Structure formats: structure tokens, C-alpha cells
Amino acid sequence: MTESEQPSVPLSVLLADPVLGLRQIAGPAGDRLVSTVGTTEIEDPSPYLVGGELLLTAGVRLPPDAEGVDTYVRRVVAAGVCALGFGVAPVHDEVPAELVAACDRHGLPLLRLPPATPFVAVGQATYAAIGEARNRALREISRAQSALAAAAARPDALRAVLDRLSGHTGAWAVLHDARGNELFSAGPRPAAPTPGRVRDLAVRTLARVRTGTAGRSAPAAAADHEGGVHLTVHTLPGTERAGTTLALGQAATEAPTLVHRQITGTAAVLLALLTSPRHALGTDTHSAGALVRLMLGAAPADVAPALGPAGHWVVVHGRYATAPASPPPGDDPAQLATLGTALGTAYLYVDGSGLKALVPGAPDVRPEVPAQAADLGWVLGFSTPVPASELAHADVQAGRALQRALAAQVPAVVHTRDPLTVHGLVPADGARELARTRFAPLDAAGSPGAPVLVETLRTWLTLHGSWDRTAAALQIHRNTVRHRLARVAELLDVDLQDPGVRMELWFALDWLPDEDQDRSG
């Protein structure tokens, strides 16, 4: 425990106490922290000191010469004494000049105790002030813990906890994943290069934790100090199988106090719980009951009200688009929980590089696209909010929005329907019948089947006729794409290189009824 972590009181508090009547007559003016009070009259008290003492003496065994006094002061300074208190009378009528000079020389605050101030009174005042300081610290920690607990119960729990942490510590707080992506942050953002230094410290610390071996204590925290900025990182535990994948970073212009460390420890525990699969991906009793009813044959529309109060839902489709060297987080509960928190839902399904999610929504309210999802490596497509009875239609919307996002190489696309289009001019029933008729010849395609050919055609048109990008999107060989599209052109008797034909087929695909597109599922 360092000096700043011990229960202590600033020396200035004792100097300001009029009952004690203490006066500093030598040494630096800067404040010191007093953790205990000791009294000694031996020639060399250094073996009996632990550091942080206000050492009181009446000079009974004080060396009579300047050299001896200098040695005395040098020894107590080396032992960590924070200040020396000298009581005048009955041994000395005044503080010896040699002691004043030695304290100035060695940077030790020297206090003059008047004859009417007993040494015991100094100890009592010191311990009373330390007790009050400890009570203030406990009250501050208690208030902060209550605020953090309340924040953890909010819908935006991760952001709220970081915001409360920053408010109580005065530090910029940030949550990083193992790749250094900044997921959430709170407080005034420091100027460069501080955010980058926090990120690098977090990545290094997480890497050391993951590579820690049995029998060796891997670091769960790290600190750095440069240019007047104090950096700290605390790793958050995941599951035993996945290991630690998230880190809480902080940057402050003041060194963290014991109170700040206690508050940060509480926040780290809450953040670990909030990003655990049991919390972020768990279900409450209503959701569990809905699952039971579904498994016993209830219709989705009947059980949807038990899943959330919104009544409307947004369907999300996702594709993990980070470099192949970075695997999807399907086996990483903390990453999955963070994604669920970013999307604002516990209803997630990740299968390899694919994602589907149900997010509570509200009628006519555009879904919010979280930046954190892109930071985690996902490209997303969002449907419009729909009631539970129209989830199948929203599922198609989300799939189309994802294809547009991939084609445009943007992090996310939200499905929209502009009434000032051809869709608004053609009657819906007639358009659906035309689409069915247009693609009916594909039913004679044989293997791999009409739904596969339709999906290949849609992806190819979405990607502006790119064979390679279509193959990558469908995860098949480009020659397979060519073969399928040649079969489509043959059965539909069209020239796919004709822009007019492509336009007509695109409209027909958009009009194709959902049930005809979902037959492959």
C-alpha cells in the first residue's frame, strides 16, 4: 500500500487547528499526508519507523552538535517520516537552530509545538481527522456504488455505468475489446495521443491475460504515467472457456486515489456482469415462458407480447466482415453480449459469419444503427418496425438491406420504402402475380432448385453484376455463379447483359411474394 492509499490526513489540517497551535518553521511548504503520530526520545529512531509518521520529540536525546543533528534528520527522512514536531519546554526553551537548518537542508517539515500543547492532544486530533476522512471516503464510495448499481439497471447499462464512473472519478472511461476497438466511452475525451495510448495499454494487457499460463498470475490491471496523464486499465473476466476479452481503460490528469480505485473496482465488476452471457443474453421469466409456448405449438404472433412491451420488432441481419484472420465472435460470450448490448436486445442468433436478431421497436420510428456493431466487425441490415404478425416480411427486408450494405460497402443499411417509385404505381396484387409468372420457369430447373437460383440472381444484381463479389457473398466458387446465372438466362429466355432486362428482373424480384422467396428455408 502506498502512502496515498493509507488512511491519512493532510498536514495542513493539523496546522489549521487553533487548539493545537502548531506552526511550521522549516522545510518545504507543500502539503504532506500524516498516517500516524509517534513519539520518541532516542538518538536513532529510524529502525522503529514505518513511514508516514508525524514524529514528535522534546529533544531529550537530541545530539548536541550540528553534525549529529544533521545525521538524526537524515535518518528519519530516509525512514519515511512526513514531518517532525518539536515541543519546546521543558528541555529546550526554543527549537534549536541546528535542527531548523537540517530540516531545511533535507526537505523535512518541522513543526513547533507550544508548551501548552501535549503530544497526546496532537495524536488525538490526528486520529480524529483521519477517522473523519475515512468516513467521508466511505460515504463517497457508497454514493458511487449506489449510482453505479442504478446505472446498471438502465436499458443503456454499459454507457450509463461508464458515465457514472467518469463522473465520480473525473477520468475519461472507455471500454475496449481485445482488438482495441472502442466500444463505449464517457467523460471529456482527452486530446491525442492519450486515447491511442489507452488503447495500446488495453490491448497489451488483454494479450498478457490470454497468454497467462497455469501457476502464473497473469496481470488483470496495468498503469502508465506520462506527460501529466495517468492511465489505468482493468480487464473484465469472461467465461472460463472464452477468457478475458474486454478491458476498462481510464485517463486522468490526477493520480487515482484509493476511493477512485474502489469505485473503479465496483464498475469493473458490474461491467463484467453486464457483458456476461447470463446477463446480456439471458431471458427473464416472461421470455422463458414465451419459449415454452412456442415449443408447445403456439404461433409467434401469440407469444410476441411476452418478449417485450414494444409490440413492434425490427429484424436485423448481419455478416461478419472483418479479415479472415479474425474469427467471428460466435464462441466468445463477452463479445456476443457486447453486440447484444449495442443492438439493445437479448434476442441474438449467430451462426458462423451470419447474424440474426430481433430488436424491440416502435411504429414509424427509424431503427438506430449502433456504431459499436461496425467496430465489432459486423455489416448490418435493418428492417422497418413491424408487428409480430409481419415478422416474416421484415425478415426479407432485413436480408435485402444487408445485401445493399454489402454491395455499397457501408456498415449498415435500414430498409426504406419510398412511395414515389414504380412500386407506388403498380397494384400490389398485380405486381405479385407478374413476379410469380416471370419466375415460374425456374421451377423446372432441377438441382439446386428455384430458390437458390433466385437468391443467386438477386445477389448478382445487388452487386452490380460482379461475379467475384457474388461468389464471395454466397461463399461459392465464381464458376458456380456463372453456371447458375446461365441456367437462369436459359430458363427465363433473357439476355442478362441487357440493362433493361436486369431492371425488369430487379423489379420482379422485389415484387416476388415473401413465401415464394422463403421456400428454400
Side-chain angles (χ1 to χ4, degrees):
M1 180 178 292
T2 65
E3 178 180 315
S4 62
E5 293 177 328
Q6 298 177 24
S8 57
V9 61
L11 187 60
S12 58
V13 172
L14 302 179
L15 290 170
D17 188 337
V19 175
L20 297 178
L22 306 180
R23 181 165 57 91
Q24 183 173 345
I25 59 175
D31 217 349
R32 299 285 182 93
L33 293 177
V34 180
S35 58
T36 186
V37 176
T39 301
T40 181
E41 298 299 345
I42 61 178
E43 295 180 2
D44 181 13
S46 58
Y48 309 100
L49 302 174
V50 295
E53 295 96 345
L54 169 56
L55 189 62
L56 304 180
T57 180
V60 175
R61 303 293 295 275
L62 189 69
D65 58 283
E67 183 179 353
V69 171
D70 187 86
T71 300
Y72 177 89
V73 172
R74 178 164 40 82
R75 284 173 175 172
V76 297
V77 168
V81 165
C82 71
L84 183 65
F86 193 91
V88 296
V91 181
H92 296 269
D93 294 332
E94 194 50 70
V95 181
E98 295 85 357
L99 183 61
V100 174
C103 287
D104 276 331
R105 189 160 47 250
H106 293 287
L108 179 65
L110 175 61
L111 310 185
R112 180 187 184 278
L113 278 67
T117 301
F119 286 4
V120 172
V122 177
Q124 290 176 337
T126 300
Y127 297 130
I130 289 175
E132 177 57 31
R134 183 187 291 111
N135 289 336
R136 284 197 303 270
L138 290 174
R139 289 194 295 269
E140 183 179 351
I141 291 172
S142 178
R143 286 194 299 269
Q145 289 176 337
S146 297
L148 289 169
R154 288 178 43 168
D156 57 340
L158 289 179
R159 271 194 198 87
V161 169
L162 287 177
D163 183 68
R164 295 296 182 273
L165 174 62
S166 176
H168 282 278
T169 62
W172 178 63
V174 58
L175 192 63
H176 282 291
D177 67 10
R179 294 189 297 274
N181 295 316
E182 184 179 308
L183 306 180
F184 303 95
S185 66
R189 188 179 186 85
T194 297
R197 290 176 51 213
V198 175
R199 173 191 178 278
D200 293 342
L201 185 60
V203 171
R204 292 196 305 271
T205 305
L206 286 169
R208 288 196 296 269
V209 169
R210 289 197 306 273
T211 56
T213 57
R216 295 179 59 187
S217 177
D224 191 13
H225 176 222
E226 183 178 339
V229 179
H230 298 263
L231 311 181
T232 57
V233 164
H234 292 77
T235 60
L236 307 185
T239 65
E240 292 182 0
R241 179 166 61 92
T244 302
T245 56
L246 300 178
L248 168 64
Q250 292 174 289
T253 55
E254 299 290 338
T257 65
L258 176 61
V259 171
H260 292 164
R261 276 187 279 273
Q262 293 277 3
I263 296 171
T264 299
T266 300
V269 171
L270 287 174
L271 291 170
L273 292 173
L274 290 170
T275 54
S276 69
R278 174 171 295 184
H279 175 90
L281 301 181
T283 55
D284 57 22
T285 53
H286 294 289
S287 300
L291 176 60
V292 171
R293 292 169 60 192
L294 278 174
M295 295 181 71
L296 295 179
D302 295 334
V303 302
L307 300 179
H312 280 64
W313 297 88
V314 174
V315 178
V316 182
H317 282 207
R319 176 69 57 81
Y320 194 69
T322 303
S326 183
D331 292 332
D332 189 333
Q335 291 279 0
L336 196 58
T338 304
L339 177 61
T341 303
L343 289 173
T345 182
Y347 305 109
L348 287 172
Y349 173 66
V350 176
D351 183 14
S353 61
L355 160 72
K356 288 190 176 182
L358 284 175
V359 179
D364 302 321
V365 176
R366 179 182 173 86
E368 294 185 6
V369 178
Q372 290 78 14
D375 292 338
L376 289 171
W378 292 92
V379 177
L380 303 176
F382 291 77
S383 75
T384 55
V386 299
S389 58
E390 299 180 19
L391 282 174
H393 180 61
D395 189 46
V396 174
Q397 290 182 351
R400 293 176 181 173
L402 174 60
Q403 291 295 335
R404 292 200 295 274
L406 291 170
Q409 298 181 337
V410 295
V413 166
V414 177
H415 177 84
T416 57
R417 172 81 67 178
D418 186 350
L420 300 178
T421 65
V422 175
H423 295 283
L425 301 177
V426 180
D429 291 342
R432 284 194 292 269
E433 187 58 35
L434 174 63
R436 282 198 184 98
T437 302
R438 190 71 184 87
F439 291 108
L442 297 183
D443 291 334
S447 181
V452 174
L453 295 180
V454 168
E455 183 60 24
T456 304
L457 176 62
R458 178 188 300 281
T459 304
W460 183 72
L461 292 174
T462 299
L463 298 175
H464 309 292
S466 170
W467 306 102
D468 292 331
R469 292 168 65 190
T470 301
L474 297 176
Q475 298 181 331
I476 58 178
H477 196 277
R478 70 191 307 271
N479 289 341
T480 304
V481 175
R482 288 184 176 275
H483 175 75
R484 290 180 183 178
L485 292 177
R487 187 64 173 146
V488 169
E490 177 187 354
L491 291 171
L492 298 184
D493 191 23
V494 295
D495 178 9
L496 292 180
Q497 303 306 315
D498 186 334
V501 170
R502 294 191 190 188
M503 180 186 67
E504 291 178 1
L505 291 177
W506 178 257
F507 281 123
L509 284 170
D510 208 31
W511 287 326
L512 194 63
D514 297 341
E515 59 270 19
D516 289 302
Q517 302 183 53
D518 294 338
R519 285 178 296 177
S520 61

